[in-house]
Amino acid sequence: MDPGDALAETWYAVFLGALGRHNESLRRILHAEAVEPLALSIRLCVGRCYVYARRFEQALEALAGLLRSEPGHRLTTIWVARTLCALDRPGEAVDLLQRLPAEEHTPYVRSTRAYALAAGGRDEEARAVCLGMQEDLRHGRAGTLGLAPVLTR
């Protein structure tokens, strides 16, 4: 693989992380970031690789930095929220997700919010979010995968 191909390095790093080869994954993704330091997708994957390695403080640092430079970026917001939940800070995750504009409340955002609500002991609110997503599914406005993060709780 060409070490100058930051995108290939990124996807290989994600693949290695999925295999549990976290040290190698992090080495590759940090190299990719050095090659393309401004690439949003690569910077997001840095945080994701830290999450996969269960290095949540480093993940939060990377992802929060990205969110500061790209405020309101939906996927980054979701990953910051997921990381906050892993750090047992679900209230902050809920607050962060609620700051997204209503048109950004995709099934993925809503399921992540339901997960954070449940993690924070707010079960009734989490159920209400899930019921709304089930209703959307029933009317063809969402797919079944929207509920997956909630079901893992």
Side-chain angles (χ1 to χ4, degrees):
M1 181 179 328
D2 176 5
D5 187 341
L7 193 56
E9 288 282 327
T10 297
W11 287 113
Y12 191 52
V14 171
F15 173 73
L16 291 168
L19 292 177
R21 293 167 54 185
H22 301 299
N23 289 336
E24 192 176 353
S25 169
L26 289 167
R27 184 176 55 76
R28 294 241 182 212
I29 194 62
L30 293 172
H31 171 77
E33 183 183 36
V35 172
E36 291 286 344
L38 300 178
L40 185 142
S41 61
I42 294 172
R43 291 176 65 202
L44 178 58
C45 284
V46 169
R48 293 165 80 178
C49 287
Y50 278 127
V51 168
Y52 299 151
R54 304 188 63 74
R55 292 167 65 172
F56 300 120
E57 290 293 343
Q58 288 171 291
L60 183 59
E61 183 180 325
L63 293 165
L66 178 55
L67 198 55
R68 279 191 298 278
S69 67
E70 298 288 339
H73 184 258
R74 182 178 55 219
L75 192 54
T76 303
T77 300
I78 289 168
W79 277 91
V80 170
R82 290 178 62 170
T83 305
L84 287 167
C85 286
L87 289 167
D88 199 26
R89 295 163 54 185
E92 292 174 62
V94 171
D95 292 344
L96 179 65
L97 291 164
Q98 285 180 198
R99 287 197 296 262
L100 286 172
E103 62 272 6
E104 294 284 324
H105 287 214
T106 64
Y108 191 15
V109 169
R110 291 164 60 201
S111 64
T112 304
R113 182 170 171 262
Y115 181 90
L117 287 165
R122 296 164 63 180
D123 294 342
E124 290 303 316
E125 291 172 83
R127 279 190 197 91
V129 172
C130 290
L131 287 173
M133 290 181 2
Q134 285 178 327
E135 192 64 24
D136 286 350
L137 175 62
R138 196 174 357 267
H139 295 288
R141 295 186 300 259
T144 56
L145 290 179
L147 291 172
V150 178
L151 297 174
T152 63
R153 175 81 185 123

